[in-house]
Amino acid sequence: MSGSSVGAMVVGTVFIMVFGMATVSLIDNVNQSIKNSDYELPDPKVDIISFTDSVQSPGPVNSVSVFSGGTGYSTGGGCTTTTTGDGTGLVVSVTDDSNAVDSITVEQIGSGYEIGDQFTIAGCGNADAVGTVVSLHEQIVITIKNMGSENVLISDIWIILSETSSKSMGIPFSFDSHYSGGNNYFFPGEQFTTDPFPLDNTAHGFSVTGNPNRAFLSIYDHNSFADVNS
């Protein structure tokens, strides 16, 4: 067989192989397109069962009073506190009368406090003034239920709050950012409730004194809403 004939056969063989591979690839892509067009995205049915905005104890501090004025204080802020209870994070400002605390204003609300808890103003003065928790801020609690037949990843469930009279809309936040139940998946028929949480401008788009009256739930193509129960 001549050299030119061998060369022609090799070229022909390579051409057929490449063409065959391209044909297989094209058919596979067409079949994949058909699969994609026939595939239905899941439609989980997760509903908001309740949405409350009320005082929950323990909780963040709203107002305080002076129990004993202590010594060595001057008017100013940024005073940290300590308590024998479970509360943490309360920071206050004070005014003084003859170096004793005359009034206390809450700067940072903290968490985990009960009405009647006493705290020492330890970050200012001689750390011997004592205050009392008088009232707590309201906190949000949201309960949801899986009404459908799909398992849902809890981290895929998002909530947004709104206040209808002022047409104010909050910032979306994930349900699991306030849920400590330890479950990753939400199975059909299950009902989960958030831990009580105070509103926060950065996290929710409303301040702790805000009054949203509606909650929306969003997951994939499914939406739900509920009005607030005070």
Side-chain angles (χ1 to χ4, degrees):
M1 188 177 289
S2 67
S4 59
S5 297
V6 172
M9 288 183 66
V10 170
V11 171
T13 302
V14 171
F15 175 78
I16 291 170
M17 289 176 65
V18 172
F19 181 79
M21 290 172 64
T23 303
V24 171
S25 178
L26 177 61
I27 292 172
D28 186 59
N29 286 339
V30 170
N31 287 342
Q32 189 63 42
S33 297
I34 293 171
K35 291 176 185 176
N36 288 342
S37 65
D38 289 342
Y39 181 71
E40 294 183 4
L41 291 172
D43 183 22
K45 292 177 172 57
V46 178
D47 288 343
I48 298 175
I49 302 301
S50 66
F51 164 40
T52 61
D53 183 10
S54 59
V55 173
Q56 307 279 331
S57 186
V61 176
N62 180 33
S63 64
V64 297
S65 63
V66 178
F67 181 77
S68 61
T71 58
Y73 288 86
S74 58
T75 297
C79 302
T80 57
T81 66
T82 59
T83 180
T84 56
D86 295 327
T88 59
L90 175 64
V91 177
V92 300
S93 61
V94 301
T95 60
D96 80 288
D97 181 8
S98 301
N99 299 123
V101 172
D102 183 52
S103 67
I104 309 172
T105 302
V106 175
E107 287 188 349
Q108 296 180 28
I109 60 178
S111 62
Y113 291 88
E114 305 269 1
I115 292 174
D117 278 354
Q118 291 193 329
F119 57 90
T120 300
I121 305 174
C124 301
N126 290 330
D128 56 355
V130 177
T132 303
V133 175
V134 174
S135 66
L136 302 175
H137 278 292
E138 293 181 340
Q139 298 187 85
I140 301 291
V141 176
I142 298 173
T143 299
I144 61 176
K145 185 173 183 178
N146 189 341
M147 309 292 286
S149 58
E150 300 280 351
N151 299 333
V152 179
L153 192 63
I154 294 178
S155 59
D156 285 341
I157 300 172
W158 288 77
I159 305 290
I160 186 168
L161 307 177
S162 72
E163 201 282 305
T164 53
S165 63
S166 64
K167 299 181 180 179
S168 300
M169 189 69 73
I171 298 170
F173 59 93
S174 61
F175 182 86
D176 69 348
S177 64
H178 297 297
Y179 170 72
S180 61
N183 298 287
N184 292 322
Y185 284 92
F186 194 20
F187 294 100
E190 287 188 320
Q191 183 169 300
F192 291 155
T193 300
T194 62
D195 305 321
F197 62 92
L199 292 172
D200 177 84
N201 258 327
T202 301
H204 313 112
F206 288 94
S207 71
V208 69
T209 57
N211 289 296
N213 62 342
R214 182 164 288 185
F216 294 86
L217 180 150
S218 181
I219 175 172
Y220 297 112
D221 293 327
H222 179 76
N223 298 291
S224 176
F225 76 90
D227 291 324
V228 67
N229 295 310
S230 298

